[in-house]
Amino acid sequence: MMMENGLSMEYGDGYMEQEEEWEREGLLDPAWEKQQKKTFTAWCNSHLRKAGTAIDNIEEDFRNGLKLMLLLEVISGETLPKPDRGKMRFHKIANVNKALDFIASKGVHLVSIGAEEIVDGNLKMTLGMIWTIILRFAIQDISVEEMTAKEGLLLWCQRKTAPYKNVNVQNFHLSFKDGLAFCALIHRHRPDLIDYAKLSKDNPLENLNTAFDVAEKYLDIPRMLDPDDLQNTALPDERAVMTYVSSYYHCFSGAQKAETAANRICKVLKVNQENERLMEEYERLASDLLEWIRRTMPWLNSRQADNSLAGVQKKLEEYRTYRRKHKPPRVEQKAKLETNFNTLQTKLRLSNRPAYLPTEGKTVSDISNSWKGLELAEKAFEEWLLAETMRLERLEHLAQKFKHKADAHEDWTRGKEEMLQSQDFRQCKLNELKALKKKHEAFESDLAAHQDRVEQIAAIAQELNVSTLEYHDCVSVNARCQRICDQWDRLGALTQRRRTALDEAERILEKIDILHLEFAKRAAPFNNWLDGTREDLVDMFIVHTMEEIQGLIQAHDQFKATLGEADKEFNLIVNLVREVESIVKQHQIPGGLENPYTTLTANDMTRKWTDVRQLVPQRDQTLANELRKQQNNEMLRRQFAEKANVVGPWIERQMDAVTAIGMGLQGSLEDQLHRLKEYEQAVYAYKPNIEELEKIHQAVQESMIFENRYTNYTMETLRVGWEQLLTSINRNINEVENQILTRDSKGISQEQLNEFRSSFNHFDKNRTGRLTPEEFKSCLVSLGYSIGKDRQGDMDFQRILAVVDPNNTGYVHFDAFLDFMTRESTDTDTAEQVIDSFRILAADKPYILPDELRRELPPDQAEYCIQRMPPYKGPNGVPGALDYMSFSTALYGETDL
């Protein structure tokens, strides 16, 4: 047998010629054919089992050529011409010729082997053909230091077994006879499978069985040799031993490459899986937060209310619950979202992946804009609630005042029209007529006194009609006011007509009862004063400051100072009635006790005066209660101001300290991270002060306190400051952790990082954490970066700016600056390296099969690849083939992975 491509195996021009030469020289051992038959049969079955079949008799099972063609397809990975399915001899010869033609197409020159001998079951020819196939597909590719296949395989065995005692590989017959060489090869690559120290050269059969059993059980290398044959043959067959040893070579030589390739792929896939997890978590958190903002905004923007004070107060309590319970978790969610986004972008840069672009409407800026809109809506909603509360409180006060005065006026006017239209004076005696006239004069006086009350009613109704107050029941108020005004006009006209009628009758009526007249004159204004006083004493009021309540108390004290004069007037009026009673009793005047000039009586005056004297201490108590309320409000103002004036500066100091740490001015990154976390703990430990301030603020709002002159801080500004402080600490912690991750993963020393930070801070004059393009250019020059002053230099600098400021914001932030500087001095994995790794796992095929991925990679990452790799569409593909090149390129390009 003779093989092209430099492979001759030193056996002459053909298998049969070599056999004949050895037989002439007396070297041919009859046992060799038996060994070859066993070994070649096992070798063929090790490949045919991949196709789900096997052979039992090597000279019989290949006679029809079908399994021979199948064997060649399995070991070559190529497809042979369609075999003839007939059972005639010429069908079998045609199939064997197709197989032999395929072997010849692979550069193998067959000598003395024809299809007829194979079909006739010639064992020697069949073994020669199988040896030819083994040489071409199992041994030819073995190459060590540019030696021939046999020499290379022998050198590989010598190197691998050199350290082992009692092993000296010099050939492929006697050197392997005691089994130690086989055990040494296994132990060299898999020391966990054989305890070589326990083996002995004196137990060759045990050694051989141990090696063959372990290789078959753990290395998937079938038994191709019989230990008894090796021991009972003086010179074992080289071809059988080489065939078996080549299986060891292929098993162990590919393991290291596969492991290296698998490790590289695992590393890349692990990074990609983590990045995808962060992307999915970001999308989930962003969607949830934006959906919550979307659901909340209509409620905050709603200005619908039932126009009642209770309804607005209910809405105010709902808003407090929202700020206290519903919003704080969303503030934490927003901070976590920003932290995850920054960490993801850092990991993508470090793993040489493209930057992550969230889906439309879910970018960090979109979320920030939505959050700002939410805060503006909150502020506007709270301002509206407070304004609405003040408006409705004022409306309720005015409406009650209008009703009270209207009720009093309508009580007073009840029956007055009938009285003025009466013709009773025409049947009266002279004194009765005089009395009626005086009574009418008293009524006119009373009517004039009530003019002010009517004007007050009209003024209150007009105030309720102001458009800005939007009182809901203006229609009924206006109707009632109009009825009162119309009635007042009628009363005036009726009074004038009755006065004319009485004047007409006065000519015949002369006698006047002076005492009744005097009583009527004094009683009417005093009664009006009593009515007005009673109204004032029960009048409702609303105040917001100590000055206002003190003004009411002072006015009330001035009123009480006039009670002495009023008491004198009361006694005077009562004495008039007593004098009348005395005269009537003395002179027995019929009907003389009836005062013709007024309907008021001494009992009425006494009752009203008693009411006034009882209402004064009640008014004292009401004013005292309001004074205590305002004093309590003043205490709440001072208490809130005292706490706010401590919390506000504390938040500002913490913000300044965190900002200073974020500028990288204080120690190493670990020191900065440690201090930031100390500040974080301190801030969370300080939270009870904020909660205490919230409780005070709630009490302030429940007490309807709308201003505080003792502090410039409001609860809203403190809330915003507190949230900004938490966000600043979390953002700075995240930035420092990302800088540590960048430093450690890129191998940047602390000194380099300090130099980058120092240079950046030097040109960041305003301590804003960002540089203008000119400042960034100066910073690069200070670090030794060469930028020409010509047109080419400007173009180079613009390309750098496109990297560090891809969104063209006009500023370069420190994380982009650090990423640029680290990429200038470090290297990362590339798509080409990943493709090379997959090519090793695929045995140099342009595609890879799912079974190969599952065999070489961990289960989770193998399934990850299988699910994402596109089908292979190139030439020579097989069912289920996957395109690892497109997949590897997608890992480093624009993709949905």
Side-chain angles (χ1 to χ4, degrees), residues 600-831:
L600 295 173
T601 65
N603 291 335
D604 293 334
M605 303 300 290
T606 301
R607 177 178 55 80
K608 291 182 179 181
W609 176 248
T610 302
D611 289 343
V612 168
R613 296 181 65 86
Q614 291 176 348
L615 288 173
V616 168
Q618 294 177 7
R619 186 69 166 185
D620 288 338
Q621 184 62 40
T622 301
L623 292 173
N625 292 338
E626 184 62 30
L627 178 62
R628 284 193 297 272
K629 177 182 176 183
Q630 291 304 320
Q631 288 172 342
N632 181 66
N633 290 352
E634 194 72 359
M635 179 191 68
L636 287 174
R637 289 189 183 96
R638 293 179 182 274
Q639 188 177 4
F640 178 86
E642 180 180 356
K643 193 71 177 177
N645 290 336
V646 172
V647 172
W650 185 88
I651 292 175
E652 293 167 358
R653 289 195 301 272
Q654 302 305 304
M655 282 292 292
D656 293 339
V658 170
T659 301
I661 295 174
M663 296 303 295
L665 302 176
Q666 301 178 4
S668 65
L669 290 177
E670 284 75 11
D671 294 337
Q672 294 174 29
L673 182 61
H674 178 70
R675 294 200 58 193
L676 284 171
K677 290 188 175 179
E678 287 181 344
Y679 275 106
E680 184 181 36
Q681 293 176 355
V683 168
Y684 281 113
Y686 200 77
K687 188 175 182 180
N689 293 283
I690 298 295
E691 295 173 346
E692 181 181 354
L693 200 57
E694 286 282 5
K695 293 179 180 177
I696 298 175
H697 178 65
Q698 180 176 350
V700 167
Q701 287 196 329
E702 289 174 350
S703 298
M704 298 300 177
I705 302 173
F706 303 105
E707 59 183 8
N708 194 337
R709 63 179 180 274
Y710 299 110
T711 180
N712 294 323
Y713 293 102
T714 66
M715 196 63 234
E716 178 63 27
T717 59
L718 292 176
R719 288 193 198 109
V720 172
W722 178 257
E723 294 172 359
Q724 290 176 347
L725 176 58
L726 289 176
T727 301
S728 177
I729 290 175
N730 290 330
R731 183 176 61 251
N732 278 283
I733 288 176
N734 179 248
E735 290 179 355
V736 172
E737 289 176 340
N738 287 339
Q739 292 174 25
I740 292 174
L741 181 61
T742 300
R743 181 197 66 190
D744 294 341
S745 63
K746 297 297 185 178
I748 300 175
S749 65
Q750 184 63 43
E751 290 73 18
Q752 286 178 302
L753 196 60
N754 291 341
E755 181 184 5
F756 294 158
R757 170 56 81 178
S758 176
S759 299
F760 186 92
N761 289 344
H762 175 75
F763 291 95
D764 184 14
K765 303 297 184 183
N766 298 327
R767 295 295 183 265
T768 60
R770 61 188 185 181
L771 301 178
T772 64
E774 287 302 316
E775 291 173 342
F776 173 63
K777 186 175 183 180
S778 301
C779 184
L780 289 180
V781 173
S782 72
L783 290 170
Y785 203 99
S786 176
I787 300 177
K789 297 184 179 180
D790 54 2
R791 182 178 180 183
Q792 183 61 41
D794 292 337
M795 293 174 63
D796 293 341
F797 181 68
Q798 290 302 320
R799 282 195 292 271
I800 295 174
L801 274 181
V803 174
V804 297
D805 184 20
N807 296 325
N808 198 23
T809 62
Y811 293 99
V812 179
H813 294 267
F814 180 73
D815 57 343
F817 169 77
L818 179 60
D819 181 59
F820 172 77
M821 295 307 298
T822 54
R823 281 191 291 172
E824 288 296 302
S825 59
T826 57
D827 193 12
T828 57
D829 291 327
T830 65

Side-chain angles (χ1 to χ4, degrees), residues 133-158:
I133 294 173
I134 292 172
L135 284 175
R136 174 59 182 86
F137 293 101
I139 299 178
Q140 178 182 337
D141 294 335
I142 297 175
S143 177
V144 179
E145 297 185 359
E146 300 182 357
M147 293 184 176
T148 64
K150 177 184 176 183
E151 293 171 345
L153 182 60
L154 185 62
L155 180 59
W156 177 78
C157 294
Q158 290 170 346

Side-chain angles (χ1 to χ4, degrees), residues 50 80 122 185 221 265 391 403-404 509 549 716 843-844:
K50 299 177 182 177
L80 272 67
N122 188 315
L185 287 174
I221 300 175
I265 292 173
R391 180 183 72 83
K403 181 178 182 302
H404 177 72
L509 300 175
I549 186 60
E716 178 63 27
D844 289 330

